[in-house]
Amino acid sequence: MPKELKEPRESREARETSPTRAGAVWALVVTSVAGFMASLDNLVVTTALPSIREDLGGELHDLEWTVSAYTLTFAVLLMFGAALGDRFGRRRLFLVGITVFTGASAAAAVAPGIDSLIAARAVQGVGAAIMMPLTLTLLTAAVPPARRGMAYGVWGAVNGLAVASGPLIGGSLTEHISWQWIFWLNVPLGLALLPLARLRLRESHGTGAPLDIIGTVLASGGLFGIVYGLVRGPADGWTAGPVLLGLVAGTVLLSGFVLHGVRAANPMLPMRLFRSRAFAGINAASMLMFLGMFGSIFLLSQYMQGVLGYSPTEAGLRMLPWTGMPMLVAPIAGILSDRIGGRPVVATGLFLQAAGLGYLGYVVTTDVSYTAQLPGLIISGIGMALFFAPASHLVMSSVRPTEQGMASGANNALREVGGALGIAVMSSIFAAQGGYETPQTFVDGLRPALAVGAAVVALAGAAALAIPRRTLTPTPTEQTPTPTPRKVPA
């Protein structure tokens, strides 16, 4: 009898469900590329807006919605996407998310008018909200605990680069080809990922609890109201009726979501998770980090073009010491987090990012040389790179394996809300202290905005220091559970 037929069925099942090296590599490739697509579309449209308006027309608020339609649907549906994956299968819903995102990208590329483009962007956000939170849970299931820091490092490098380099990629494609290619870029990537994800990723589930419809409605409605108010506030005024309604109603609904998470039997996001200093600390740090980073990139990219006179491509290239640093440093940060723990690496990265932003706020003038800006860009880049990988590790290791889907969804939702808040708050500070009238008024508004961004990121570093020190040995919550062998009838 062949040797493989003598192997007990229980042993074969345990072997097939345990992480393998090849499976881990494929999972890292698939989830990193998927995360790159979802993260890239946060800011990739910003430098293409003038060309979009020239081709499709539309007022200023229409152009603003081409950015915020994606951000809103992405933010408000993240936790629901994670819950769907936990309930119906993470790989299955991951495939659904890729399909929706890819189809919506093609629809955006061929949009005949501004309204259809906005609608396609909203559907893109739906696909990203399903796809993005499942990347970490699928990666965690495929990688052994001892190697997860390095895997999260690569994943964090790719996603961090996508977020920060969106203006560069969007500006380059728009300037040298056409704005439609910022969306066409997603189509071949999505089509390539679909068979790879189907064949190379293992299926996994969460607790199997019923879907929390009430929690989903409260969270989605609350986040929509608050993000809508933050996005529209700088343009419409903070006392405008729709803005106030969105902020107040969103706050009320999110308060109801918190109470629901405390009292419900199977809530989408149990509030007991926040009793953990690790989970609460890393989520607070993540939201504050994205607040400072998004707002700073939003204003600095305009400063380089509007004040210093660079083209979109030239501005993006000059920001590479900041935006490209995650590709170099984040894998090293993942290895460091395996050896000394994620807490000191994350905190160091956040304080470096704060120092870099503070330096840039100090040196910016109407004619500052690039050499003078370079130290701030490099320091900020190293800080951002040190944050991404260990932060992901801390999120996933702060909860039980069956809760990683909801934890990933909550963390990504808070990051998106932080990004929207950062653009709104720092734009408001910019408008109050300066404006677009002259290069000097732009600098007058930019300096205090960057100072606030630096302070917020430093506060994120303080939140990271509140995370408990962790041992080097993976805790039971980090380990992949051993499957219980099923008895085979004789």
Side-chain angles (χ1 to χ4, degrees), residues 204-249:
S204 63
H205 295 77
T207 60
L211 285 176
D212 180 12
I213 302 300
I214 295 176
T216 299
V217 172
L218 290 172
S220 299
L223 287 174
F224 179 86
I226 288 179
V227 174
Y228 175 87
L230 294 173
V231 168
R232 297 300 305 173
D236 297 346
W238 295 105
T239 58
V243 173
L244 288 176
L245 178 62
L247 294 174
V248 173

Side-chain angles (χ1 to χ4, degrees), residues 88-469:
F88 297 109
R90 292 162 179 164
R91 184 184 64 180
R92 179 183 300 173
L93 266 294
F94 183 68
L95 292 170
V96 172
I98 295 175
T99 302
V100 172
F101 185 86
T102 304
S105 297
V110 299
I114 193 69
D115 291 337
S116 56
L117 176 61
I118 292 171
R121 287 283 288 165
V123 178
Q124 260 193 315
V126 174
I130 298 172
M131 176 175 65
M132 187 63 176
L134 299 177
T135 57
L136 273 180
T137 50
L138 289 167
L139 183 61
T140 300
V143 178
R147 299 287 185 181
R148 285 176 187 163
M150 184 182 298
Y152 293 148
V154 176
W155 183 91
V158 175
N159 282 271
L161 179 65
V163 170
S165 63
L168 168 61
I169 295 175
S172 298
L173 290 174
T174 300
E175 185 176 342
H176 299 293
I177 308 178
S178 71
W179 65 264
Q180 285 88 350
W181 276 92
I182 64 179
F183 302 115
W184 281 127
L185 178 65
N186 294 322
V187 175
L189 293 176
L191 293 177
L193 285 181
L194 283 171
L196 288 176
R198 177 65 181 85
L199 297 174
R200 298 294 182 177
L201 297 180
R202 296 184 298 129
E203 185 61 279
S204 63
H205 295 77
T207 60
L211 285 176
D212 180 12
I213 302 300
I214 295 176
T216 299
V217 172
L218 290 172
S220 299
L223 287 174
F224 179 86
I226 288 179
V227 174
Y228 175 87
L230 294 173
V231 168
R232 297 300 305 173
D236 297 346
W238 295 105
T239 58
V243 173
L244 288 176
L245 178 62
L247 294 174
V248 173
T251 301
V252 172
L253 289 173
L254 281 185
S255 299
F257 175 71
V258 171
L259 292 175
H260 177 75
V262 172
R263 299 175 180 176
N266 295 296
M268 179 171 61
L269 180 60
M271 290 299 115
R272 58 178 171 76
L273 295 179
F274 289 94
R275 297 173 187 169
S276 163
R277 284 172 53 198
F279 185 80
I282 191 56
N283 277 286
S286 296
M287 187 179 72
L288 293 171
M289 156 67 175
F290 270 64
L291 193 158
M293 184 189 70
F294 262 64
S296 299
I297 291 176
F298 178 76
L299 291 175
L300 283 171
S301 63
Q302 295 181 71
Y303 165 74
M304 287 191 168
Q305 295 176 59
V307 177
L308 300 183
Y310 299 127
S311 70
T313 303
E314 291 171 340
L317 288 173
R318 282 164 174 79
M319 292 184 73
L320 278 179
W322 182 5
T323 60
M325 197 63 69
M327 290 298 293
L328 301 176
V329 179
I332 300 173
I335 296 173
L336 286 175
S337 70
D338 282 340
R339 296 190 176 184
I340 65 175
R343 173 182 176 269
V345 181
V346 165
T348 300
L350 291 169
F351 286 125
L352 283 175
Q353 172 100 30
L357 291 177
Y359 174 86
L360 288 171
Y362 177 75
V363 301
V364 291
T365 63
T366 58
D367 58 353
V368 63
S369 68
Y370 181 64
T371 303
Q373 300 173 61
L374 196 56
L377 296 172
I378 293 174
I379 294 171
S380 295
I382 294 174
M384 183 171 65
L386 289 176
F387 167 83
F388 276 114
S392 302
H393 198 177
L394 287 170
V395 170
M396 302 305 283
S397 63
S398 65
V399 297
R400 293 191 293 266
T402 55
E403 297 170 332
Q404 288 173 342
M406 65 180 74
S408 175
N411 183 255
N412 280 282
L414 288 172
R415 289 183 178 191
E416 291 298 313
V417 171
L421 178 62
I423 293 175
V425 170
M426 294 178 68
S427 294
S428 297
I429 295 170
F430 167 81
Q433 300 296 321
Y436 291 91
E437 293 79 11
T438 67
Q440 186 58 53
T441 57
F442 194 103
V443 171
D444 291 341
L446 178 62
R447 282 178 174 169
L450 290 178
V452 171
V456 169
V457 177
L459 186 60
L465 289 178
I467 299 171
R469 295 179 184 275

Side-chain angles (χ1 to χ4, degrees), residues 54 217 354 462 466 482 484:
E54 183 178 347
V217 172
T482 303
T484 303

